[in-house]
């Protein structure tokens, strides 16, 4: 099997997430829409076969790569040998689990040189999507429902209105500010550490650049936020000082 060469140029988190998404789409297609064709190709009488998802959203059942070591981590070997010895649905679920493991290994292989925050961002993007197993087994991932205590300011996100007043919103209102879609809101990243939005944590928004930050990352407590008429993040504050100099 000839695989497309992997670019040696540096990749961003978004580049690798797209690669993951496209490979995942190919595998999901094999295990759902094209499942009859996939099942037929996995003949136990054939040699060790692997299921590959490619970066163009296609899939392929073939022998493992001949290179040693391979250019990318290898999928589970010999998926065809268990085909006739298992219930079809259980076998597809097993292949899905192994495929999830492979997709993650490829993504973090490509992002091996990322720093801690970049790895965290990559995993957060991946984790926002249902796994191949969840799709194949028709299981919807449970969405966390954090208990937001409206009386606890440390659990509230804080933003400033145009007149300088402190505006607080619980997780529901924060979702409305960024769109009612919870998944879309979960993609909000801290401007300091790159971590994903979590309604259980205190967040504060910069009135200049409109980026959001964990309160702990910018050393702002809920109590301190009450006294700030207009919040400027460290980057915006340093820019102002630089102009004055």
């Amino acid at each position: 099997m000839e695989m497309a060469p992997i670019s040696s140029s540096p990749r961003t988190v978004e580049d690798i997430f797209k690669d993951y998404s496209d490979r995942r789409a190919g595998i999901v297609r094999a295990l759902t829409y094209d499942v009859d064709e996939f099942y037929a190709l996995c003949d136990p009488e054939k040699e060790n076969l692997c299921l590959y998802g490619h970066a163009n959203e296609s899939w392929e059942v073939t022998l493992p790569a001949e290179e040693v070591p391979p250019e990318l981590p290898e999928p589970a070997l010999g998926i065809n040998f268990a085909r006739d010895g298992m219930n079809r649905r259980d076998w597809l679920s097993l292949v899905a689990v192994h495929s999830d493991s492979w997709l993650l290994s490829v993504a973090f292989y490509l992002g091996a040189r990322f720093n801690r925050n970049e790895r965290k961002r990559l995993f957060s993007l991946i984790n926002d999507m249902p796994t191949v197993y969840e799709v194949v087994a028709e299981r919807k991932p449970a969405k966390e429902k954090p208990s937001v205590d409206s009386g606890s300011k440390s659990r509230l996100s804080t933003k400033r209105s145009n007149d300088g007043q402190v505006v607080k919103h619980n997780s529901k209102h924060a979702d409305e500010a960024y769109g009612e879609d919870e998944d879309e809101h979960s993609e909000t990243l801290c401007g300091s550490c790159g971590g994903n939005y979590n309604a259980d944590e205190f967040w504060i928004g910069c009135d200049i650049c409109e980026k959001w930050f964990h309160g702990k990352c910018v050393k702002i407590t809920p109590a301190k936020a009450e006294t700030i008429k207009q919040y400027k993040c460290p980057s915006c504050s340093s820019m102002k000082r630089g102009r004055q100099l």
Side-chain angles (χ1 to χ4, degrees):
M1 179 192 64
E2 295 184 2
M3 297 185 67
I6 303 301
S7 172
S8 59
S9 60
R11 293 190 174 199
T12 66
V13 170
E14 289 70 23
D15 289 337
I16 295 179
F17 176 63
K18 185 179 186 307
D19 181 273
Y20 167 88
S21 300
D22 292 346
R23 293 178 188 276
R24 174 187 172 279
I27 289 176
V28 167
R29 186 174 189 85
L31 298 179
T32 55
Y33 298 104
D34 299 339
V35 65
D36 291 336
E37 179 185 353
F38 168 70
Y39 190 85
L41 289 171
C42 292
D43 185 346
E45 298 300 320
K46 295 181 179 178
E47 298 182 63
N48 290 304
L49 296 175
C50 301
L51 171 61
Y52 287 87
H54 295 308
N56 61 357
E57 301 188 15
S58 66
W59 60 273
E60 181 180 15
V61 172
T62 187
L63 297 171
E66 295 181 359
E67 308 97 273
V68 178
E71 193 170 14
L72 286 177
E74 292 288 357
L77 183 65
I79 58 172
N80 51 313
F81 293 152
R83 193 199 70 176
D84 291 348
M86 297 179 65
N87 171 278
R88 172 164 159 159
R89 186 179 183 85
D90 291 341
W91 177 72
L92 290 173
S93 294
L94 178 64
V95 174
V97 169
H98 280 292
S99 296
D100 280 317
S101 177
W102 176 69
L103 288 168
L104 282 173
S105 68
V106 170
F108 280 85
Y109 175 83
L110 295 175
R113 293 176 177 80
F114 283 165
N115 61 36
R116 179 180 178 182
N117 288 338
E118 289 171 328
R119 293 194 305 271
K120 184 176 181 180
R121 281 183 56 212
L122 177 59
F123 182 75
S124 294
L125 289 170
I126 290 173
N127 202 40
D128 282 341
M129 303 180 73
T131 63
V132 176
Y133 171 74
E134 286 169 333
V135 174
V136 171
E138 298 180 350
R139 289 179 53 186
K140 294 183 178 180
K143 291 186 177 180
E144 295 182 2
K145 295 182 179 179
S147 57
V148 179
D149 179 3
S150 59
S152 173
K153 295 177 182 177
S154 64
R155 289 174 177 264
L156 297 176
S157 300
T158 303
K159 184 68 178 174
R160 304 292 166 311
S161 64
N162 292 333
D163 59 3
Q165 301 237 330
V166 177
V167 178
K168 303 182 191 66
H169 14 241
N170 60 24
S171 60
K172 179 179 179 181
H173 292 152
D175 284 345
E176 291 173 354
Y178 284 88
E180 295 181 357
D181 189 326
E182 182 179 341
D183 291 334
E184 179 182 351
H185 183 55
S186 66
E187 295 179 2
T188 302
L189 303 178
C190 173
S192 179
C193 73
N196 271 50
Y197 172 82
N198 186 333
D200 281 341
E201 297 177 304
F202 172 72
W203 283 63
I204 187 167
C206 176
D207 287 302
I208 305 303
C209 65
E210 298 187 351
K211 291 182 180 179
W212 286 80
F213 301 85
H214 288 111
K216 61 185 179 183
C217 288
V218 291
K219 299 180 180 180
I220 299 292
T221 64
K224 186 175 181 180
E226 293 276 10
T227 66
I228 303 175
K229 292 183 177 180
Q230 184 183 55
Y231 175 68
K232 296 179 182 178
C233 69
S235 296
C236 292
S237 296
S238 62
M239 287 175 60
K240 182 178 180 181
R241 286 196 296 271
R243 287 196 297 268
Q244 290 176 341
L245 293 174

